[in-house]
Amino acid sequence: MVISMLGDLNGKTVADIGAGSGYFAFRLTPKAEKVIGIDIDPGFISFLDSMKVRLPESYRNRFESRLAKPDDPMLGPGEADAVIIVNTYAYIDNRTQYLKTLYKGIASRGRLLIVDFKKNDIPVGPPDHFRITLNDVRRELVSAGFKVVQVDLESLDYQYIIIAEKE
Ligand SMILES: C[S@@+](CC[C@H](N)C(=O)[O-])C[C@H]1O[C@@H](n2cnc3c(N)ncnc32)[C@H](O)[C@@H]1O
């Protein structure tokens, strides 16, 4: 359901920031032209590379892992048509500045989808200091120049989904 919210990915480059073990990245790979699994942890980059070789040959080469920096996702100018950040946004420091850097790496009209944990007394997920409210995410997106196009608090019990667009 989350992936379908990105729309048709045919011919598109998708970046998964905080890809971790690749739950989303490897589900995106059959659908997109290219998927960049981005993480700051070299251990996860090695893990992603070890999983890549197990992908079907027909789309294995669409996946690329990328070691990034905590303050820079290391995308080239306009490189990604769509970006997802799942259960990772709250771990990023100086988020508005990070989003401004990320903005440059997204193509015109490209989409950014963020999923993160709701804050109030949800029994699942990280401790409270690693949770950020939907309103704070929205404010930071707007400060960085994005236009918020969709907000979904209902589809997932424990997380919200917010989609923004580069104008
Ligand atoms: C809780 S995991 C989420 C993994 C995956 N997105 C998922 O939902 O299964 C958070 C991941 O974000 C990565 N991470 C933390 N800070 C980051 C940053 N500034 N840039 C990129 N990745 C980051 C961590 O190394 C970790 O792999």
Side-chain angles (χ1 to χ4, degrees), residues 17-20 23 39-41 44 69-70 86-88 91-92 98:
I17 297 180
Y23 181 89
D39 210 286
I40 55 168
D41 183 334
F44 278 122
K69 298 177 184 163
V86 182
N87 299 348
T88 297
Y91 296 105
I92 296 172
Y98 187 90

Side-chain angles (χ1 to χ4, degrees), residues 21 23 36 51-52 58 61 71 80 84 93 101 129-130 140 145 147:
S21 54
Y23 181 89
I36 310 168
M51 295 301 284
K52 173 181 173 169
S58 56
N61 287 332
D71 62 349
I84 65 164
D93 291 328
T101 304
H129 59 279
F130 283 128
E140 290 168 1
K147 179 182 172 192

